[in-house]
Amino acid sequence: MAAAPGWLVARVVVLAVLVLARFLVGHLHVSAHLAHVRSHQGLLAWDADWYRRIALGGYAVPAKSLRFFPVFPLLAWPGRVLGGAGVSALLLLSANGGALLLGGLIHRVALEHTGDEALARRAAWLVALAPPAFVMVMGYAEPVAVSLAVVALLAAARGRWWWAAAAALAYGAMRPIGLLLAAPLAVQAALHLRGLDGKALLARAAAVAAAPAGAAVYLGWAALRFGDGLLPYKAQQIKGLRGPTVNPLVVFGHVVRRLAAGDIGKGHYPWVVLAVIALVVMARRWPLSYTVFALATLATALASYNLNSVERYLWGCFPFVLVAAGVTGSGRRRQLAVLVASTVAMAGYALAAFLGSYVP
């Protein structure tokens, strides 16, 4: 299986980094409070801890917990019969199983669009070893969520619109930005309309509406339970999280100016510029629906001056991975160098996250 090698390497690297983080805290007395907390939580740190708590006790702290959409913690909900250990095990099993599935799906979608087996293999490696991909070893929703997005767009490209609708519905109820999937599906649905009957048009319309419908189910529940259906989005604006929503073009201008002045913005700013360059490449080489999806994702990520986790948001939009695989294809040495550099960077990000100094 094309996904297995990168998947295995990622798990070996991240687990080794976790051991190193705990050694640094326990034996070299790294004294920061967050370092103790995050290294102790390990693979269930940061967002994974929120998913664990929601699966165990529901949305008990609405001001913050509601920003985590329900499908992923529901996957771990049956584990409650075994207590916290059961929930934790199901979260990690779901995430790591989803990561293996995602590698296979990325390989398939790259192969179908390009017919290039070497590029497809590179994509499977890169989705596992990209710098932000260490979260796929943790109890994060990304592996399952991104897999659903790939399934939805791949099914749409094959004309299997009801499968696309089912995947998009689940995706919309899994991530706050899930409803963005409607944009690329609408682009895909607008192709080759001539001669379609009512049933075919209905299937396309259902696929386009599915992701917003999935989000609406959760927002409707929040309205009934807490009196405000927009609380899951308002929670993102709490101080210390993403903060107020701003014009993404203004934020991009700020990023460019700060980079020109030598400020890398805690490492976030170069990724933003790389993403914009990747969009240009994507528009020339990949389906329009992918470019629309990537543009919507980037604009949403830049809708706040707080760019914490922007690397994960961009990696979670799989067309960026396909572009990266496409531009690293000249010679084995170059490919190996890219994979090694990416793996080292992933280890660095993981160590910073386990020591509490980077928000994944």
Side-chain angles (χ1 to χ4, degrees):
M1 185 178 180
W7 184 89
L8 287 170
V9 170
R11 270 126 205 91
V12 170
V13 170
V14 173
L15 290 174
V17 168
L18 177 57
V19 171
L20 174 61
R22 289 180 171 175
F23 173 80
L24 292 174
V25 170
H27 296 275
L28 299 186
H29 307 294
V30 175
S31 58
H33 174 68
L34 268 182
H36 287 271
V37 172
R38 301 308 183 192
S39 63
H40 174 73
Q41 291 174 323
L43 300 183
L44 292 165
W46 297 101
D47 287 7
D49 183 52
W50 280 104
Y51 289 125
R52 182 188 64 81
R53 285 193 271 175
I54 292 167
L56 280 170
Y59 290 96
V61 189
K64 289 189 176 182
S65 66
L66 277 176
R67 73 188 194 274
F68 297 98
F69 277 42
V71 169
F72 189 64
L74 279 174
L75 295 178
W77 182 78
R80 294 196 306 173
V81 297
L82 299 177
V87 166
S88 298
L90 280 182
L91 281 176
L92 293 174
L93 181 63
S94 298
N96 284 273
L100 186 60
L101 174 63
L102 176 59
L105 287 169
I106 288 290
H107 178 270
R108 171 52 55 185
V109 75
L111 192 60
E112 288 204 5
H113 281 299
T114 69
D116 187 336
E117 176 63 35
L119 187 152
R121 285 197 302 269
R122 290 197 303 275
W125 275 93
L126 282 173
V127 78
L129 298 174
F134 69 92
V135 299
M136 291 206 297
V137 189
M138 302 172 66
Y140 269 59
E142 264 68 19
V144 178
V146 181
S147 294
L148 287 169
V150 177
V151 167
L153 289 174
L154 187 59
R158 293 176 173 179
R160 299 177 180 176
W161 290 98
W162 289 112
W163 282 104
L169 184 71
Y171 184 76
M174 183 170 282
R175 302 183 76 190
I177 63 169
L179 50 80
L180 296 180
L181 191 60
L185 286 172
V187 171
Q188 194 70 29
L191 300 176
H192 312 300
L193 288 175
R194 183 176 298 178
L196 294 180
D197 59 19
K199 288 183 178 180
L201 290 172
L202 177 62
R204 292 189 180 213
V208 173
V217 170
Y218 175 51
L219 299 179
W221 174 85
L224 292 174
R225 177 67 176 82
F226 300 107
D228 186 351
L230 293 180
L231 272 179
Y233 291 107
K234 291 178 179 178
Q236 296 284 1
Q237 299 180 345
I238 295 173
K239 185 177 181 181
L241 298 178
R242 283 189 53 80
T245 300
V246 295
N247 186 334
L249 291 176
V250 173
V251 176
F252 180 67
H254 171 77
V255 166
V256 172
R257 289 192 300 272
R258 295 312 304 158
L259 269 176
D263 179 7
I264 63 171
K266 298 181 179 178
H268 301 313
Y269 295 167
W271 289 104
V272 172
V273 174
L274 286 173
V276 172
I277 295 171
L279 273 175
V280 176
V281 176
M282 197 183 301
R284 296 178 61 186
R285 301 183 183 178
W286 294 92
L288 176 60
S289 58
Y290 287 11
T291 303
V292 169
F293 187 30
L295 179 60
T297 301
L298 178 59
T300 302
L302 293 182
S304 168
Y305 280 106
N306 183 352
L307 296 180
N308 282 347
S309 304
V310 69
E311 299 84 5
R312 173 167 59 90
Y313 301 150
L314 296 175
W315 166 85
C317 182
F318 72 90
F320 284 118
V321 176
L322 297 176
V323 170
V327 300
T328 56
S330 309
R332 285 193 172 185
R333 288 187 179 181
R334 180 178 177 182
Q335 294 172 31
L336 181 60
V338 168
L339 286 176
V340 170
S342 186
T343 304
V344 170
M346 183 184 72
Y349 274 92
L351 181 61
F354 290 139
L355 293 178
S357 59
Y358 171 73
V359 182

